[in-house]
Amino acid sequence: VDADGRNVLGGTTLYASIEAAQEAGETEVTLLADFTGKMSTITSGTFVLNLNDKTFTCTKNDQLWSKYAGIRVKAANLIVNAGENGKIVFESGTTYGFAVTGDDNDQGTDNLTINGGTYECGNAAQGIYFWSKNDGKLTIKDATLTSTYNAGSYTVFVYFRGGIAEVENTTINTQALCCFDAEPIPLYKDATSAPYTPYVIPSTKATLKNCTFTNNTYVEYTVGGNTYKPDWLSTAVACSFGAEVTVDGGTYTGKKYGAYVYSSGGTMNLKSGTFKGEANSLRASKNNSGTVSLGSENKSYADFGDSYIYYSSSCTLDGETKADNGNCHIEPKEF
């Protein structure tokens, strides 16, 4: 036992919790047993969490717009190394599993890397919420993410907005879609709450390789006695606001659509893979009269370009394709 009362074995300091290790300034922590507790928000540098084949039951931590996150990253880097059987279980009441959001002054770049493991997001409306103003990077390899939660119109299991996403050999089973989005992000002057301008349009590019995405049920919710079952939530993978998604292998099964470019526009390059939907394997929409609100400003959907889906002869399309109008393009292409 050292002078501070902590056990020291071969240069390894033992802590009672992840938070205690963080408070001591550690930048790499390895679980030695299954653990239930919080993990403090990561606000600088790089933090490595080694699950070491153990289970981390993550309790609610930081509030994000009055909703709780499990693990939050603000202008920093988080690396999760799971080992062969490592697991994170986000407790009930956690709205966001991983929330990657930049800091309060819109500075810094975020990176989240997930290497292997299983992630049970229970009733988290968004398993991964990645909202980068400065071209951060999301990397997921050899992982499995699941959720059975239906949070109504708020249910987007992976919401990636701004930066580069690389997802490989990963399985996502959920009642919600994975959306890659380049919607304009409002900036706050001098870290105040107003005005909203200027704003940035983030560059958003995603590559999915040999993944299995399954959106296995209709999202259904009731407001004012009316029941809604939105089509746009019933897809496996989607993009919007000019984002670009490249798919190279895997299976993408939506309750209604396999792959969907939303009415704000975007591009999907489908090099290979299987795309299934009860209505359409591929769907492209475009509404040039639509607008997105940025405080006192509105930006037209027309500014983000048409909707494009290119698919190669290596793709398997299980279901009809549908291009809604003349600004939508679903075309064969050899890459």
Side-chain angles (χ1 to χ4, degrees):
V1 180
D2 67 10
D4 296 323
R6 294 191 298 260
N7 294 315
V8 179
L9 298 174
T12 298
T13 305
L14 304 183
Y15 296 93
S17 68
I18 297 174
E19 281 192 306
Q22 290 178 288
E23 289 171 3
E26 301 287 2
T27 58
E28 182 167 356
V29 171
T30 299
L31 296 187
L32 300 181
D34 293 347
F35 172 71
T36 298
K38 292 182 179 180
M39 182 168 166
S40 299
T41 299
I42 303 161
T43 56
S44 64
T46 297
F47 187 84
V48 181
L49 175 62
N50 296 312
L51 298 179
N52 191 31
D53 294 330
K54 304 299 188 292
T55 297
F56 171 27
T57 300
C58 183
T59 58
K60 292 185 295 186
N61 177 22
D62 198 7
Q63 276 196 301
L64 175 63
W65 306 316
S66 299
K67 306 293 184 180
Y68 281 101
I71 297 175
R72 190 171 181 196
V73 180
K74 297 174 66 176
N77 307 321
L78 171 62
I79 300 171
V80 179
N81 295 322
E84 292 185 7
N85 299 299
K87 179 188 291 187
I88 295 180
V89 178
F90 293 100
E91 76 161 344
S92 176
T94 302
T95 306
Y96 313 91
F98 294 94
V100 184
T101 61
D103 72 6
D104 296 330
N105 297 315
D106 302 317
Q107 303 297 314
T109 299
D110 300 281
N111 298 291
L112 171 60
T113 301
I114 297 174
N115 293 315
T118 300
Y119 304 84
E120 296 181 358
C121 298
N123 70 348
Q126 296 180 355
I128 297 177
Y129 180 82
F130 194 107
W131 194 33
S132 174
K133 304 172 180 66
N134 295 300
D135 295 331
K137 186 173 182 180
L138 171 66
T139 305
I140 308 175
K141 291 185 177 180
D142 306 316
T144 298
L145 297 91
T146 64
S147 173
T148 57
Y149 189 51
N150 182 340
S153 61
Y154 193 61
T155 307
V156 180
F157 185 73
V158 173
Y159 182 36
F160 183 86
R161 185 178 179 188
I164 302 296
E166 295 181 355
V167 186
E168 184 175 351
N169 297 329
T170 290
T171 297
I172 297 180
N173 292 313
T174 178
Q175 291 192 11
L177 71 149
C178 300
C179 181
F180 300 91
D181 173 77
E183 182 177 349
I185 297 175
L187 300 179
Y188 302 109
K189 290 183 177 178
D190 302 321
T192 62
S193 59
Y196 280 94
T197 56
Y199 58 85
V200 296
I201 300 176
S203 173
T204 300
K205 293 188 177 182
T207 301
L208 312 178
K209 186 174 182 179
N210 298 327
C211 294
T212 300
F213 288 8
T214 305
N215 180 350
N216 51 31
T217 188
Y218 285 112
V219 171
E220 187 172 306
Y221 57 98
T222 301
V223 177
N226 296 317
T227 299
Y228 299 91
K229 195 162 63 174
D231 290 348
W232 69 275
L233 286 172
S234 303
T235 187
V237 59
C239 74
S240 58
F241 288 101
E244 182 177 356
V245 176
T246 298
V247 179
D248 191 1
T251 301
Y252 305 84
T253 304
K255 188 63 177 177
K256 194 158 189 177
Y257 311 121
Y260 192 178
V261 178
Y262 289 156
S263 57
S264 51
T267 300
M268 282 192 172
N269 301 305
L270 310 181
K271 293 183 176 181
S272 63
T274 298
F275 303 87
K276 303 179 183 180
E278 291 182 3
N280 305 122
S281 56
L282 310 177
R283 176 73 176 260
S285 299
K286 184 63 184 177
N287 176 14
N288 282 331
S289 65
T291 59
V292 56
S293 176
L294 291 165
S296 59
E297 293 188 38
N298 287 324
K299 189 166 182 62
S300 172
Y301 284 6
D303 294 337
F304 298 96
D306 285 354
S307 295
Y308 299 91
I309 300 179
Y310 300 109
Y311 63 95
S312 79
S313 57
S314 299
C315 292
T316 299
L317 305 182
D318 189 345
E320 300 295 326
T321 66
K322 183 172 177 59
D324 282 353
N325 54 50
N327 298 110
C328 307
H329 313 273
I330 300 179
E331 301 172 359
K333 178 180 178 179
E334 296 306 317
F335 294 92

